[in-house]
Amino acid sequence: MGSSLSKGGSLAAFSSFYAKKAKPFVHFFSMLAMTFFGLLLLTFVIGRMMPTDPVIAVIGDKATEALYQATYLEMGLDKPIITQFFYYLDGILHGDLGTSVRTANLVSDDILNYFPATLELATLATIFGMLIGIPMGVLAAVNQNKWQDNIVRIFGLIGHSAPIFWLAMIAIVIFYQHLDWVAAPEGRLSVMYEYTLPKVTNMVLVDTLLARDWDAFKDAFAHIILPASLLSYYSIAYLSRMTRSFMLDQLNQEYIITARVKGVSETAIIWKHALGNAWVPLITVIALTYASLLEGSVLTEIVFSWPGLGRYITDALLAADMNAVLGGTIVVGLVFILLNLTSDLLYKIFDPRAK
């Protein structure tokens, strides 16, 4: 009987642990798997619907008929469409994204070279957005309908309305041509450092710090500061607007009135209590903003000759290089899925109402 009670207690303890701790992670990975499967299905359908011949894209239009037929069979295009999809799925799960026609490299190798540049740019832009956009949103909410609020709202409206390529060209004229505060808009490093810097992470700021090459770090920072600042304008505008909205909601809650009655300082009410509770929905907003910058930095990369994933996908699309286009799309989609689901998981962990 004691053994039965012990087993029953262990089962109850396991059930409690699963419900409180493990279940969110199981849900997270199951949602990740299903969403990723849907993404792969979508990219497969897009690839088959494109008006380009996948065989010609691989062997070129001057190949012989015998080579065309051999390649057609080798690619499994004679198989039923369902079978082709599972071949495609198996290749993706084994890291096989195909070969780029334009670069003649494996798409996975190209992505490992190009994606860190976009990751570095978007990460720095998101950090700028958080450091500037969130305080601006708090300032606007505390001074609702006053001149501070109006300035923040106008700033955000311009950030959502002005084309990024136009802002980029204006910024280049001002900060590079006239003031000479930043490096030339040509890549991530000057030529003197480009081929001497050891590539560990392929993120130049990180690699220059790891190499302790301070001159190269200054040069890399001079190249990235302007595109990152311009790209951060979008995140600043969005984060300030959303922070303002969340803060206004919190400042109208009863616990804020209670804190003021108890004599809690206004600084503590705003920055500790109101902003502390506003951080819960802000996690999702920051994650989605970060994902948007990772997938939406194409124009910035083109203007500044930044060798990122957005520019890689655009060049591949113009060259009808569908392996590269679909491979890049899968990577961007997977990052977006991971950030979205991670924010949902963090939301459930940090929000006491979700526990």
Side-chain angles (χ1 to χ4, degrees):
M1 182 176 178
S3 177
S4 299
L5 289 174
S6 177
K7 290 180 180 179
S10 300
L11 182 60
F14 175 78
S15 299
S16 176
F17 170 79
Y18 176 80
K20 292 181 179 180
K21 302 295 184 181
K23 188 176 181 179
F25 292 96
V26 173
H27 178 73
F28 171 81
F29 286 110
S30 61
M31 288 296 296
L32 174 63
M34 288 188 293
T35 310
F36 186 56
F37 180 83
L39 174 65
L40 293 180
L41 179 61
L42 181 62
T43 55
F44 175 80
V45 172
I46 292 174
R48 290 297 182 266
M49 291 178 63
M50 293 297 292
T52 57
D53 188 329
V55 178
I56 295 296
V58 172
I59 63 176
D61 56 0
K62 298 185 182 300
T64 63
E65 180 64 23
L67 179 59
Y68 180 94
Q69 292 298 331
T71 306
Y72 183 86
L73 295 175
E74 183 180 350
M75 293 176 67
L77 296 176
D78 60 320
K79 302 289 192 299
I81 194 70
I82 298 297
T83 305
Q84 292 182 40
F85 172 70
F86 281 105
Y87 282 162
Y88 174 77
L89 183 63
D90 181 68
I92 295 297
L93 294 178
H94 285 85
D96 182 12
L97 299 175
T99 302
S100 170
V101 178
R102 189 173 59 88
T103 65
N105 300 325
L106 292 174
V107 173
S108 55
D109 290 341
D110 281 343
I111 289 173
L112 288 176
N113 287 327
Y114 285 92
F115 184 64
T118 297
L119 182 64
E120 185 175 41
L121 185 62
T123 300
L124 194 59
T126 303
I127 292 173
F128 288 165
M130 292 173 59
L131 294 178
I132 300 173
I134 293 175
M136 285 177 61
V138 173
L139 177 67
V142 173
N143 298 279
Q144 185 182 12
N145 296 327
K146 296 180 181 179
W147 64 269
Q148 298 97 327
D149 185 22
N150 292 331
I151 290 177
V152 171
R153 293 167 72 179
I154 292 172
F155 182 86
L157 180 63
I158 296 174
H160 282 291
S161 305
I164 188 67
F165 66 88
W166 179 78
L167 290 176
M169 291 186 289
I170 296 297
I172 289 172
V173 171
I174 296 174
F175 295 105
Y176 169 65
Q177 183 175 347
H178 289 291
L179 298 177
D180 195 26
W181 286 0
V182 297
E186 299 173 353
R188 300 194 288 167
L189 277 174
S190 298
V191 177
M192 67 181 72
Y193 303 110
E194 184 72 35
Y195 301 102
T196 59
L197 180 68
K199 294 183 178 180
V200 180
T201 65
N202 253 350
M203 293 184 284
V204 289
L205 289 178
V206 177
D207 288 346
T208 52
L209 287 175
L210 292 176
R212 297 184 179 181
D213 190 338
W214 307 118
D215 290 333
F217 177 81
K218 292 177 182 178
D219 183 77
F221 187 78
H223 278 83
I224 198 174
I225 184 62
L226 190 56
S229 298
L230 286 169
L231 196 60
S232 71
Y233 193 5
Y234 165 78
S235 62
I236 292 171
Y238 186 57
L239 286 176
S240 63
R241 183 166 64 89
M242 297 306 296
T243 302
R244 176 185 181 274
S245 176
F246 296 146
M247 283 294 293
L248 286 176
D249 179 63
Q250 293 299 323
L251 290 173
N252 290 322
Q253 299 293 324
E254 291 184 358
Y255 76 89
I256 296 294
I257 299 173
T258 303
R260 285 175 175 151
V261 170
K262 289 182 177 180
V264 179
S265 68
E266 195 67 18
T267 301
I269 289 174
I270 294 170
W271 295 100
K272 182 180 179 181
H273 299 289
L275 183 59
N277 285 298
W279 265 110
V280 175
L282 268 176
I283 290 173
T284 302
V285 173
I286 292 170
L288 293 177
T289 302
Y290 187 30
S292 298
L293 294 181
L294 284 171
E295 69 172 354
S297 56
V298 178
L299 293 176
T300 305
E301 291 178 356
I302 291 175
V303 172
F304 288 93
S305 298
W306 196 262
L309 187 61
R311 185 180 174 192
Y312 173 75
I313 295 174
T314 302
D315 291 343
L317 185 61
L318 294 175
D321 186 357
M322 292 311 300
N323 283 339
V325 172
L326 295 178
T329 303
I330 289 171
V331 171
V332 172
L334 181 59
V335 169
F336 200 100
I337 292 169
L338 286 172
L339 287 173
N340 196 8
L341 293 178
T342 302
S343 67
D344 288 344
L345 183 62
L346 292 175
Y347 188 96
K348 293 177 180 178
I349 292 174
F350 288 103
D351 186 1
R353 294 169 300 181
K355 295 180 179 179

